[in-house]
C-alpha cells in the first residue's frame, strides 16, 4: 500500500507520476488521501496508536512536509475517530512548503504568508469550538479569565523536530529518555519558539533527533508554532507523538475492541488465575494512600496511567539478587523495555522506574543517581508532589515483599496476614504527616523486625537535601 498526501494532492504533474509508479511496479496503485482521511490516519489515529486513551479531549495536530492538520479528539466518545476526522481541517503550510514560501522572500511577502497561516489556524480553531462543546467550554472559560487550559498532542516530522529542540534545551539535563515519542512539556516550556530559533541558529553541534534538513526547516516549524500559540495561548501540556499515517492505517486495521483496549493490561498479561491476587496487592497499595481533601487524583502515580499490574509483576521478579543490582535494573529496564509500546509514555516509564527502584530501597550508585534524578524531574514536571507518592508506594511494596519474601500464592493468604489503613495529619508549622497503620497477623508479627520496617519506609521516602510537603510515619497493630 502506498499513501500520498498534500504534495500529490496539489502536484500539477500528479497524473504523470501515478502512471510512472504504476509502470515501474507492475501496476501498483497509489492512494492519494483526502485531507479528512489524512487527518484520520495521521493527526488522530497515528498519534492515538501510541496512547492508552485521551479522556476529556485534547487538540491533535500533525505537521508534515506539505500541510498541517488540527482537530479535537476525545476517546471517551463513540466514533470519536470519525468525528475528529470530519471536524478537523488541513492547511497547505507544511514544514517544507512553508520553508520554500518564506526563504528569500521580502518582508511583505513573508508577513502575508504568516498572516494567512495564522488566520487559517484561527479559522480551524473556531470551527472546532463550534463543533465540540468541551473545547468551546474551555475557550469560553479562558476568555472569562478563568484557569481553563487545553492539552495538545503533536505528531509529524515537523512537530517532532520542535520536540527534539525542546528536549535539547530541557531543564532536565541530561534528559533520561532518548525518544521524542511521548516526550511531554508544560505549556510554559512549549511556548518558547523565539528561544528555540536562537538555539537552532547558534548551536554548531549535533542536536539529537534533528537532521540537517530539519534544522534548515526549523524557522518554518517555529512559525507554525508561533501561529498556533497566538490562536491557542491557554496550553496546559504538549505531548509529542511518534505516530504517522503509516501507524494510523495499521491501527485502523485492528478490530475496534482490540485497538481501544488498554495495551498496558495486555503487556502485564495477568491471567484469570492471577487476577484475584493482583487485585488484592493493588488494593493494599491503594489503601496505603489516604483518602483526603487534597486532590491526590490529579497526582500521577502507577495507578493513574494503568501501570499497577506491571508494577506488581516487578515486586518479586528479581528476588534473590542484591538490592543495588535490582535498583539499577529497575531504572534501566523501565526506559528501554518494550520500545514504542502504546501507553509506556515518558511519564509512565519514569513512574515505573522510580517506584520499582524504591521497592528495592533506592540502593543506587553515583552513575545511576544521574539517571534517577533525571527521571525524578520527568515526574515532578507533571506535579511537584508526585515524587513523594512514587517513593511511598515503592516503599510500601518493599514492606510487602519483606513480609512475604515469596509472592503469596493467593489473595486469601495475603489478606489474612496484612491490612493497611492510612490518613493524613495536617500541621501548619510542619509538613503534613502520612500516617500508615499496618495490621499484621500474629504469625507474621513473630518473624519481622517492626523497627526496621518502619525505618525503611521513612528512609525510602526521603530525598537527600530536599524537604517536601509530606513525611511518613508507620504504626503497627495486631490484625483481628
Amino acid at each position: 500500500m502506498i499513501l500520498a498526501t498534500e504534495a500529490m494532492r496539489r502536484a500539477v504533474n500528479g497524473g504523470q507520476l501515478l502512471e510512472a509508479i504504476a509502470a515501474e511496479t507492475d501496476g501498483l496503485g497509489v492512494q492519494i488521501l483526502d485531507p479528512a482521511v489524512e487527518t484520520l490516519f495521521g493527526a488522530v489515529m497515528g498519534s492515538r496508536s501510541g496512547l492508552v486513551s485521551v479522556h476529556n479531549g485534547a487538540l491533535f495536530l500533525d505537521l508534515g512536509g506539505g500541510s498541517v492538520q488540527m482537530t479535537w479528539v476525545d476517546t471517551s466518545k463513540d466514533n470519536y475517530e470519525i468525528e475528529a476526522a470530519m471536524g478537523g481541517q488541513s492547511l497547505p503550510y507544511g514544514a517544507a512548503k512553508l520553508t520554500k514560501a518564506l526563504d528569500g522572500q521580502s518582508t511583505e511577502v513573508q508577513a502575508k504568508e504568516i498572516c494567512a497561516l495564522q488566520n487559517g489556524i484561527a479559522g480551524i480553531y473556531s470551527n472546532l469550538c463550534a463543533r465540540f462543546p468541551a473545547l468551546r467550554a474551555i475557550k469560553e472559560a479562558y476568555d472569562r479569565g478563568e484557569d481553563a487550559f487545553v492539552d495538545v498532542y503533536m505528531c509529524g516530522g515537523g512537530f517532532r523536530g520542535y520536540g527534539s529542540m525542546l528536549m535539547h534545551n530541557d531543564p532536565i539535563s541530561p534528559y533520561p529518555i532518548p525518544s521524542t515519542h511521548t516526550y511531554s512539556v508544560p505549556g510554559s516550556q512549549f511556548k518558547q519558539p523565539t528561544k528555540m530559533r536562537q538555539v537552532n541558529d547558534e548551536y554548531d553541534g549535533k542536536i539529537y533527533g534533528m537532521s540537517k534538513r530539519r534544522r534548515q526547516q526549523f524557522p518554518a516549524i517555529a512559525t507554525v508554532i508561533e501561529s498556533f500559540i497566538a490562536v491557542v495561548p491557554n496550553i496546559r501540556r504538549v505531548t509529542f507523538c511518534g505516530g504517522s499515517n503509516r501507524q494510523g492505517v495499521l491501527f485502523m486495521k485492528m478490530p475496534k475492541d482490540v485497538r481501544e483496549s488498554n495495551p498496558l493490561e495486555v503487556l502485564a498479561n495477568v491471567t484469570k488465575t492471577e487476577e484475584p491476587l493482583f487485585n488484592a496487592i493493588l488494593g493494599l497499595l491503594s489503601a496505603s494512600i489516604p483518602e483526603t481533601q487534597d486532590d491526590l487524583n490529579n497526582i500521577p502515580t502507577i495507578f493513574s496511567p494503568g501501570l499497577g499490574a506491571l508494577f506488581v509483576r516487578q515486586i518479586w521478579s528479581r528476588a534473590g539478587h542484591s538490592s543495588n543490582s535490582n535498583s539499577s535494573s529497575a531504572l534501566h529496564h523501565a526506559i528501554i523495555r518494550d520500545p514504542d509500546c502504546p501507553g509506556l509514555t515518558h511519564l509512565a516509564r519514569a513512574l515505573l522506574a522510580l517506584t520499582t527502584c524504591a521497592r528495592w530501597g533506592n540502593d543506587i550508585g553515583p552513575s545511576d543517581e544521574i539517571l534517577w534524578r533525571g527521571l525524578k524531574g520527568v515526574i515532578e514536571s507533571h506535579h511537584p508532589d508526585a515524587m513523594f507518592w512514587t517513593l511511598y508506594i515503592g516503599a510500601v511494596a518493599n514492606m510487602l515483599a519483606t513480609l512475604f519474601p515469596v509472592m503469596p500464592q493467593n489473595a486469601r493468604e495475603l489478606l489474612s496476614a496484612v491490612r493497611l489503613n492510612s490518613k493524613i495529619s495536617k500541621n501548619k508549622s510542619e509538613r503534613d504527616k502520612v500516617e500508615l497503620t499496618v495490621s499484621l497477623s500474629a504469625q507474621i508479627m513473630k518473624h519481622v523486625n517492626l523497627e526496621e520496617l518502619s525505618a525503611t519506609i521513612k528512609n525510602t521516602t526521603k530525598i537527600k537535601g530536599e524537604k517536601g510537603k509530606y513525611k511518613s510515619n508507620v504504626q503497627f497493630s495486631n490484625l483481628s
Side-chain angles (χ1 to χ4, degrees), residues 12 64 133 148 343 375 387 398 433 436:
V12 294
L375 293 168
M387 192 60 192
N398 189 357
K433 184 184 294 185
L436 175 65

Side-chain angles (χ1 to χ4, degrees), residues 27 67 106 122 130 140 157 190 201 218 275 296 302 334 341 416 426 474:
S67 61
S106 66
E140 290 174 349
F190 172 78
D201 291 341
F218 193 79
E275 193 171 316
L296 295 182
I302 56 161
C341 173
S416 65
K426 292 187 174 292
V474 185

Side-chain angles (χ1 to χ4, degrees), residues 10-11 26 30 55 61 97 148 211 228 378 381 401 410 421 459-460:
R10 294 179 177 267
D26 295 326
V30 177
H55 292 305
L61 292 90
K97 191 167 185 178
S211 65
F228 174 65
V378 172
S381 76
N410 53 60
N421 195 278
N459 292 335
T460 303

Side-chain angles (χ1 to χ4, degrees), residues 319-371:
H321 298 287
S322 65
S323 60
N324 53 17
S325 170
N326 289 341
S327 295
S328 181
S329 174
L331 299 179
H332 293 275
H333 181 245
I335 63 174
I336 64 172
R337 65 171 296 168
D338 304 293
D340 299 324
C341 173
L344 279 183
T345 64
H346 284 208
L347 173 61
R349 291 180 184 276
L351 288 168
L352 191 58
L354 295 190
T355 310
T356 308
C357 186
R359 176 266 178 265
W360 295 106
N362 293 327
D363 188 6
I364 55 175
S367 61
D368 280 334
E369 185 168 354
I370 297 172
L371 176 57

Side-chain angles (χ1 to χ4, degrees), residues 233 298 308 325 362 385 437 468 476:
N298 289 330
S325 170
N362 293 327
D385 297 330
T437 300
F476 295 92

Side-chain angles (χ1 to χ4, degrees), residues 52-294:
V52 172
S53 62
V54 186
H55 292 305
N56 302 319
L59 286 172
F60 277 53
L61 292 90
D62 181 3
L63 178 61
S67 61
V68 58
Q69 290 84 35
M70 181 165 74
T71 190
W72 174 260
V73 177
D74 183 347
T75 59
S76 67
K77 305 297 184 183
D78 292 335
N79 299 315
Y80 70 86
E81 67 274 27
I82 304 302
E83 282 294 312
M86 297 301 293
Q89 290 178 259
S90 177
L91 295 172
Y93 288 102
K97 191 167 185 178
L98 188 57
T99 296
K100 186 176 180 180
L102 297 179
D103 274 1
Q105 300 295 329
S106 66
T107 303
E108 182 180 352
V109 171
Q110 290 182 357
K112 184 178 179 180
E113 291 287 352
I114 293 170
C115 182
L117 169 63
Q118 187 168 322
N119 288 340
I121 292 176
I124 296 176
Y125 185 58
S126 177
N127 291 339
L128 291 175
C129 288
R131 187 178 184 111
F132 297 101
L135 179 60
R136 181 170 65 251
I138 293 172
K139 182 181 185 303
E140 290 174 349
Y142 180 76
D143 290 343
R144 291 193 300 268
E146 299 175 20
D147 288 336
F149 299 95
V150 63
D151 289 317
V152 178
Y153 291 82
M154 290 184 157
C155 73
F159 285 139
R160 282 194 291 272
Y162 191 76
S164 295
M165 190 66 76
L166 287 173
M167 184 185 287
H168 176 75
N169 290 273
D170 200 292
I172 305 168
S173 182
Y175 191 83
I177 301 172
S179 171
T180 54
H181 176 47
T182 70
Y183 171 61
S184 178
V185 295
S188 57
Q189 187 175 336
F190 172 78
K191 295 189 290 187
Q192 301 183 79
T194 301
K195 180 180 178 181
M196 297 304 106
R197 283 176 186 269
Q198 183 179 356
V199 173
N200 186 62
D201 291 341
E202 297 177 358
Y203 188 77
D204 291 332
K206 168 69 177 174
I207 294 178
Y208 183 78
M210 294 285 284
S211 65
K212 182 179 179 180
R213 181 171 67 94
R214 191 70 70 208
R215 290 192 68 173
Q216 290 172 342
Q217 294 175 347
F218 193 79
I221 295 169
T223 298
V224 176
I225 297 291
E226 287 167 340
S227 299
F228 174 65
I229 293 169
V231 174
V232 188
N234 55 321
I235 299 169
R236 177 172 29 232
R237 195 162 198 96
V238 177
T239 300
F240 297 91
C241 303
S244 64
N245 285 307
R246 176 177 177 273
Q247 282 82 4
V249 170
L250 295 174
F251 197 53
M252 290 291 288
K253 284 179 173 291
M254 295 181 180
K256 187 168 185 176
D257 62 327
V258 173
R259 71 172 185 254
E260 296 303 322
S261 63
N262 186 340
L264 298 179
E265 292 178 357
V266 177
L267 193 62
N269 194 27
V270 179
T271 66
K272 288 292 184 183
T273 303
E274 294 174 317
E275 193 171 316
L277 175 58
F278 272 62
N279 288 341
I281 295 169
L282 290 171
L284 284 176
L285 293 175
S286 181
S288 73
I289 300 176
E291 293 184 7
T292 172
Q293 296 299 319
D294 293 346

